[in-house]
Amino acid sequence: MLETAALIVAAGRGQRFGAGSPNLGLPKQYLPLKGEPILRHTLRAFCTHPGISRVWAAIRRDDAGPFAAAAAGLPVAAVLGGAARQDSVRLGLEAIAASAPDLVLIHDGARPMVSAALIDRVIAGLAAAEAVVPAVPVIDTLKRVNGAQIAETVSRDNLVRVQTPQGFRFAALRAAHQKTAGENLTDDAAVMERAGHGVICVPGEEMNIKVTTTDDLSRLQAASGEIRTGTGFDVHRLGAGDFVTLCGLRIPHSHGLIGHSDADVALHAATDAILGAIGDGDIGQHFPPTDPQWRGAPSDRFIQHAHSLVKARGAMLLHLDITIVCERPKVSPHRAAMVAKIAEILGIEPHRVSVKATTTEGLGFTGRGEGIGAQAVATVRL
Ligand code: MG
């Protein structure tokens, strides 16, 4: 069997990536997708493919820390990349040369959805060609523009969009890179074309997106995200006072809720539900009741922190459903304001929040008016 190496190009700085990411400053290949760095998904696809004998990654010197986290436990050798993509591949090929593989697949670190079948097609194509690229049809109508003005409609005939992994005879690609060094060509097929080699296409895959903007990442998450559910439950005792805090709202009542913080049972249950959905402990662990800094604290801070942990994973809180259990105060007059308040606290759309209430028909501690209970379910897309 021919030896096939894979070189993952992960030395980009992600200059085209938009602002607004909770992990701003990290190059895009290290941003989280489904709870793991994008690059880890990419590396795993090649490390676990039976047709690939060895995996290399070209990275930036500054990214050694995030790379170590992304590659933890995976058999990947890192090499330092260069200023431009073409330089990174050339330097990677020189590092790989000592192990003299027959074939090499070059793949973008920010294309995490590469399938085993696509890797198979590229390798199979190399039986009859020196260079193979995956290609997908151009579906949208193409226009050439002058600023905002359309200058002409461009025929789609014979046009394709080219992806990675691109596969090559190793010696041919290495020689072509040596010959074209410094030309700033945007893919390796172009390097081979420039050096006079033929390149053939095999079918690519629409899901094999290169994450270039935050929109791309959102699209990938929407298409591939895993749905997780968490539940939360909380009770606080009623005592002296003239208001209760529920869902972040101060509601006049004949008693008050007793607790270390503002004793907002609804937000506490919701916070635990969110933490449960991402498997990150519980509210007591993140905000120990023995810690004086949380005395009388508004529970907005607890739920906002849980939500920030969701966002830091690249995940999204899809829905939060809260049930308040008490005889009094009556919740229904406050329900719409509670939904609006939680949406505001979390910075999410109100349709993603539900607040319900029930009594226990006069039974138990809630029935006797000794306390208020709440339960919550959070749905998160990882
Ligand atoms: Mg509590």
Side-chain angles (χ1 to χ4, degrees):
M1 193 174 121
L2 295 176
E3 285 278 302
T4 304
L7 173 61
I8 311 303
V9 189
R13 285 201 309 270
Q15 286 151 319
R16 280 177 291 178
F17 210 82
S21 157
N23 297 288
L24 200 64
L26 268 187
K28 60 186 184 287
Q29 58 270 26
Y30 296 107
L31 294 178
L33 171 70
K34 293 191 274 181
E36 293 184 320
I38 287 172
L39 181 59
R40 185 167 182 81
H41 295 278
T42 309
L43 295 173
R44 192 191 287 117
F46 287 89
C47 288
T48 59
H49 193 287
I52 303 292
S53 46
R54 191 145 178 216
V55 180
W56 303 72
I59 66 166
R60 293 172 68 213
R61 187 184 301 275
D62 293 351
D63 295 341
F67 175 76
L74 296 173
V76 182
V79 297
L80 290 182
R85 186 185 191 283
Q86 192 185 346
D87 303 319
S88 294
V89 175
R90 188 183 68 255
L91 294 169
L93 293 172
E94 293 307 317
I96 294 172
S99 65
D102 303 294
L103 309 176
V104 63
L105 267 51
I106 313 290
H107 186 67
D108 300 323
R111 283 189 202 266
M113 302 298 285
V114 56
S115 72
L118 179 53
I119 294 172
D120 283 336
R121 281 201 294 283
V122 172
I123 294 174
L126 287 170
E130 279 184 317
V132 175
V133 300
V136 290
V138 175
I139 292 158
D140 296 326
T141 299
L142 296 179
K143 307 282 185 188
R144 193 178 310 284
V145 292
N146 233 329
Q149 185 73 37
I150 288 174
E152 64 166 324
T153 300
V154 179
S155 167
R156 289 181 302 209
D157 293 351
N158 305 317
L159 287 184
V160 291
R161 293 179 294 130
V162 162
Q163 306 178 325
T164 71
Q166 301 188 348
F168 306 93
R169 296 270 153 186
F170 180 82
L173 182 66
R174 184 185 178 203
H177 264 281
Q178 288 169 345
K179 200 163 145 186
T180 61
E183 292 195 25
N184 207 11
L185 300 167
T186 55
D187 76 348
D188 301 285
V191 168
M192 288 292 270
E193 293 157 34
R194 179 73 68 139
H197 296 275
V199 180
I200 65 158
C201 295
V202 295
E205 295 177 357
E206 287 294 344
M207 276 301 287
N208 183 29
I209 295 169
K210 183 176 182 183
V211 178
T212 307
T213 64
T214 47
D215 275 356
D216 298 333
L217 188 52
S218 304
R219 254 191 317 150
L220 267 192
Q221 280 159 341
S224 66
E226 189 177 314
I227 302 298
R228 298 270 179 91
T229 302
T231 69
F233 175 72
D234 196 29
V235 169
H236 278 268
R237 184 184 293 277
L238 283 162
D242 57 6
F243 71 93
V244 293
T245 304
L246 290 174
C247 298
L249 292 184
R250 191 177 166 120
I251 295 169
H253 189 46
S254 55
H255 293 78
L257 283 170
I258 310 303
H260 189 73
S261 63
D262 64 6
D264 188 333
V265 279
L267 288 192
H268 293 182
T271 302
D272 260 354
I274 293 169
L275 292 172
I278 56 170
D280 197 348
D282 60 27
I283 189 169
Q285 184 183 326
H286 289 275
F287 304 98
T290 48
D291 188 335
Q293 69 167 309
W294 309 123
R295 188 184 304 279
S299 299
D300 306 26
R301 293 174 56 185
F302 305 156
I303 196 166
Q304 280 170 343
H305 178 70
H307 191 215
S308 75
L309 295 174
V310 171
K311 290 187 282 188
R313 282 168 165 75
M316 180 180 178
L317 177 60
L318 295 176
H319 193 250
L320 189 59
D321 183 25
I322 298 171
T323 303
I324 299 169
V325 186
C326 62
E327 302 288 331
R328 285 185 313 117
K330 285 287 168 226
V331 169
S332 55
H334 306 284
R335 190 211 305 256
M338 288 172 166
V339 167
K341 181 67 177 174
I342 292 172
E344 180 201 319
I345 290 169
L346 295 176
I348 63 177
E349 304 109 305
H351 72 82
R352 299 191 181 279
V353 180
S354 156
V355 176
K356 313 192 300 297
T358 187
T359 70
T360 49
E361 299 282 330
L363 299 171
F365 69 87
T366 54
R368 291 188 297 271
E370 294 166 5
I372 296 180
Q375 59 182 32
V377 173
T379 307
V380 164
R381 186 177 62 218
L382 278 188

